[in-house]
Amino acid sequence: MQNFQGVGVSPGRIIGSVRQMPKPVSEPPSGEQLAAGLSPEDAVAGLKAAAQSVHDELKGRADTASGDGKAVLEATALMAKDTMLLKSAAKLINAGSSPERAIWEAGASVSEMLHNLGGYMAERATDVLDVRARIVAELRGVPAPGIPSSETPFILVAEDLAPADTATLNPAVVLALVTSGGGPQSHTAIIARSLGLPAVVAAHGVDSIADGSEVYVDGAAGSVTLEPGEEQRAAATAWAETSATLAEFDGNGTTADGHLVPLLANVGGAKDAVAAAGLGAQGVGLFRTEFCFLERDTEPSVDEQAAAYKAVFDAFPGKKVVLRTLDAGADKPLPFLTDATEPNPALGVRGYRTDFTTPGVLERQLEAIARAASESEADVWVMAPMISTAAEAGRFASLCAAAGIKTPGVMVEVPSAALTSATVLREVGFASLGTNDLTQYAMAADRQLGPLAELNTPWQPAVLRLVQLTVEGSAQEGNNKPVGVCGEAAADPALAVVLTGLGVTTLSMTARSLAAVGTVLKTVTLEQAQELARLALSAPSATEARDWVRAKLPVLEELGL
């Protein structure tokens, strides 16, 4: 029995067979020539056969997929037979290039051309690069990149998952996610929580586990056990039985003594909002508006935005919906708004700061929000990301007032905003702590990097102290402004108790976490939550803070959380 320790990011205890994610296809060497004895005609025929195989495999997967995944697979399958791509590669083969090098260079040229055309054609540029990698893999006789295709359920092990990989991730087949890279706030972690899949990240050495090996994954403890024994099997069976008790949230976030802590959902569009409402969310604590802007070369119109926002608002009539204005920049670049040449985009012109360099986009978005709010029954609050100073908060509040928005607020994700929350909150009506970025900036640790996973956790006492300072600042000088948490920290039931003890007024999370958080909150009084908050703040490390608090919450072990 061999154990691999990582960071647990989504609870669950499950046993299954491993399927390793194929390694990315490496670029064929520059100048690679046709193999001796292989004629250009035979090489071109082999390339076309490989392309046809890729097309057929993708088309077959598309026929059994649905929604966005089906659309992605169908578009990629079509690109595998693209005449321009194959003719460009054939020309290079006839000039002496190997088939692998020819399709690689042809793919780069076609992708660049499509990107330059903009609009829908630019969206196909990524499909070309995916296809060329698949054709190279077929020519080499190695597994294609991406999530393995399987008719039987498996535990996916990978270095990390790219956003594009998740388009074909089927939670009915993938039982759990394990990665050797990534961190607690990585894309993989967020996807796992949204799909309700047990997940462990930053588990060094898991890439050595052979395909087909049976493993036990504990997404709460962050452990992966090879060749599980009876103890692990019993735990997996118990999880399957007790997880049914976490299937529903009664729509009433409260502690054992009746202290109200509304549990809200993080959503990215109307589909998410409808699903969250169905799972009992008491409102929306984070409406990410980027979905209207991503993969576009031009700014969406006010009419387009208003229609999209109203669709979310309409899912929560009479309830609070907190909308975050466009958070472009860093890992979400937009060609019409952000500078792709910034040397350090995480610390660059992103979020609210884009209004400094491209004025007008924010004001038009606020106009669209106000219009949608006026046509909806939702209680719409609006907050700006990446606010650093009271002056920025005041200017944003004035922009909201000019647009007719009644409740402006700020995201607290820059440490300076936490440290000066008393003056920042004097300018606006509320604050919401974005713990993902707050942790990254407080600890100077990129949240995507596996080697920094130990630093990049909101259990860090320094991060908890920033949360406490924000809450304390909100109560100074008669402010008494609500302070919520909308970062991934709120989805951790143990940390949710600590945040409640620190005085946070609302918790917003992926909708699938509502039931677990609600269940655990109901087992503690407000006074007990405050005691646990003090305990976490006194810990010398994030690991001890987490362990000390969890030891005081036996319900977590009982429920496999």
Side-chain angles (χ1 to χ4, degrees), residues 306-385:
Y309 303 153
K310 184 177 183 297
V312 172
F313 299 162
D314 286 348
F316 288 93
K319 295 183 179 179
K320 179 166 72 173
V321 176
V322 182
L323 181 149
R324 180 181 70 190
T325 56
L326 181 58
D327 190 20
D331 59 341
K332 297 184 284 287
L334 292 175
F336 61 89
L337 190 61
T338 54
D339 180 3
T341 66
E342 283 185 344
N344 195 345
L347 298 178
V349 180
R350 56 170 297 200
Y352 169 77
R353 299 172 179 178
T354 58
D355 196 52
F356 303 164
T357 55
T358 314
V361 175
L362 175 58
E363 289 177 80
R364 287 186 287 274
Q365 183 178 26
L366 293 175
E367 178 187 348
I369 295 166
R371 182 185 303 178
S374 69
E375 298 172 355
S376 168
E377 297 178 16
D379 179 16
V380 178
W381 296 20
V382 183
M383 60 186 181

Side-chain angles (χ1 to χ4, degrees), residues 268-556:
K271 184 179 177 181
D272 290 348
V274 171
L279 290 171
Q282 294 175 262
V284 172
L286 173 61
F287 172 15
R288 306 179 182 94
T289 59
E290 289 75 48
F291 81 102
C292 274
F293 295 81
L294 294 178
E295 298 183 356
R296 293 185 59 130
D297 292 325
T298 58
E299 177 189 348
S301 69
V302 170
D303 288 343
E304 286 179 281
Q305 293 183 57
Y309 303 153
K310 184 177 183 297
V312 172
F313 299 162
D314 286 348
F316 288 93
K319 295 183 179 179
K320 179 166 72 173
V321 176
V322 182
L323 181 149
R324 180 181 70 190
T325 56
L326 181 58
D327 190 20
D331 59 341
K332 297 184 284 287
L334 292 175
F336 61 89
L337 190 61
T338 54
D339 180 3
T341 66
E342 283 185 344
N344 195 345
L347 298 178
V349 180
R350 56 170 297 200
Y352 169 77
R353 299 172 179 178
T354 58
D355 196 52
F356 303 164
T357 55
T358 314
V361 175
L362 175 58
E363 289 177 80
R364 287 186 287 274
Q365 183 178 26
L366 293 175
E367 178 187 348
I369 295 166
R371 182 185 303 178
S374 69
E375 298 172 355
S376 168
E377 297 178 16
D379 179 16
V380 178
W381 296 20
V382 183
M383 60 186 181
M386 289 297 289
I387 291 292
S388 303
T389 66
E392 290 177 351
R395 181 174 179 274
F396 178 70
S398 67
L399 291 174
C400 286
I405 293 168
K406 298 177 182 178
T407 312
V410 297
M411 290 279 287
V412 175
E413 47 201 342
V414 179
S416 64
L419 294 169
T420 61
S421 61
T423 54
V424 168
L425 280 166
R426 206 177 293 152
E427 305 292 338
V428 292
F430 72 99
S432 186
L433 288 144
T435 51
N436 303 4
D437 272 328
L438 184 62
T439 301
Q440 165 172 257
Y441 293 136
M443 304 307 297
D446 189 326
R447 70 193 208 194
Q448 303 292 337
L449 295 182
L452 302 181
E454 186 176 341
L455 286 175
N456 210 328
T457 164
W459 280 101
Q460 287 288 351
V463 176
L464 296 178
R465 178 62 177 141
L466 288 172
V467 174
Q468 183 185 46
L469 286 171
T470 304
V471 172
E472 290 174 351
S474 74
Q476 286 182 22
E477 300 180 34
N479 276 343
N480 292 320
K481 304 289 177 64
V483 175
V485 168
C486 63
E488 291 298 314
D492 179 339
L495 195 46
V497 171
V498 170
L499 295 170
T500 299
L502 289 172
V504 166
T505 54
T506 60
L507 298 168
S508 189
M509 64 206 72
T510 177
R512 288 183 178 270
S513 299
L514 291 166
V517 172
T519 298
V520 174
L521 270 181
K522 284 183 170 64
T523 68
V524 297
T525 64
L526 177 59
E527 183 178 354
Q528 289 171 329
Q530 291 168 340
E531 290 175 1
L532 290 175
R534 286 191 288 270
L535 183 66
L537 283 168
S538 69
S541 72
T543 300
E544 286 165 299
R546 182 178 185 271
D547 290 348
W548 290 358
V549 169
R550 290 183 62 86
K552 298 286 187 179
L553 292 170
V555 66
L556 296 172

Side-chain angles (χ1 to χ4, degrees), residues 127-337:
D127 297 336
V128 176
L129 300 181
D130 185 11
V131 157
R132 77 169 183 182
R134 291 177 182 277
I135 294 175
V136 169
E138 182 72 19
L139 289 167
R140 289 175 175 172
V142 300
I147 295 172
S149 180
S150 174
E151 295 181 0
T152 57
F154 61 91
I155 292 172
L156 179 63
V157 179
E159 180 180 344
D160 204 357
L161 292 182
D165 295 326
T166 61
T168 56
L169 196 159
N170 181 357
V173 176
V174 178
L175 301 172
L177 295 175
V178 177
T179 65
S180 58
Q185 319 302 340
S186 66
H187 176 79
T188 300
I190 293 170
I191 286 294
R193 284 189 283 263
S194 69
L195 294 175
L197 291 176
V200 176
V201 301
H204 181 69
V206 293
D207 46 5
S208 67
I209 300 175
D211 265 9
S213 301
E214 189 176 55
V215 298
Y216 166 74
V217 175
D218 187 332
S223 61
V224 180
T225 305
L226 190 60
E227 299 176 356
E230 289 306 313
E231 182 181 348
Q232 286 79 27
R233 295 184 187 281
T237 300
W239 162 257
E241 294 171 352
T242 60
S243 61
T245 67
L246 299 176
E248 294 184 5
F249 170 54
D250 63 9
N252 183 28
T254 178
T255 60
D257 55 342
H259 175 70
L260 297 179
V261 189
L263 302 185
L264 315 174
N266 296 342
V267 306
K271 184 179 177 181
D272 290 348
V274 171
L279 290 171
Q282 294 175 262
V284 172
L286 173 61
F287 172 15
R288 306 179 182 94
T289 59
E290 289 75 48
F291 81 102
C292 274
F293 295 81
L294 294 178
E295 298 183 356
R296 293 185 59 130
D297 292 325
T298 58
E299 177 189 348
S301 69
V302 170
D303 288 343
E304 286 179 281
Q305 293 183 57
Y309 303 153
K310 184 177 183 297
V312 172
F313 299 162
D314 286 348
F316 288 93
K319 295 183 179 179
K320 179 166 72 173
V321 176
V322 182
L323 181 149
R324 180 181 70 190
T325 56
L326 181 58
D327 190 20
D331 59 341
K332 297 184 284 287
L334 292 175
F336 61 89
L337 190 61

Side-chain angles (χ1 to χ4, degrees), residues 21-83:
M21 184 109 147
K23 299 292 187 244
V25 173
S26 60
E27 178 178 352
S30 178
E32 185 178 73
Q33 299 293 296
L34 274 173
L38 180 64
S39 71
E41 292 78 16
D42 288 343
V44 170
L47 174 66
K48 290 181 177 178
Q52 184 66 49
S53 293
V54 169
H55 169 272
D56 293 347
E57 194 270 337
L58 290 170
K59 186 67 170 62
R61 290 171 66 181
D63 290 342
T64 60
S66 61
D68 294 340
K70 182 180 182 71
V72 168
L73 288 165
E74 287 177 339
T76 310
L78 285 173
M79 194 57 69
K81 296 179 69 174
D82 181 72
T83 304

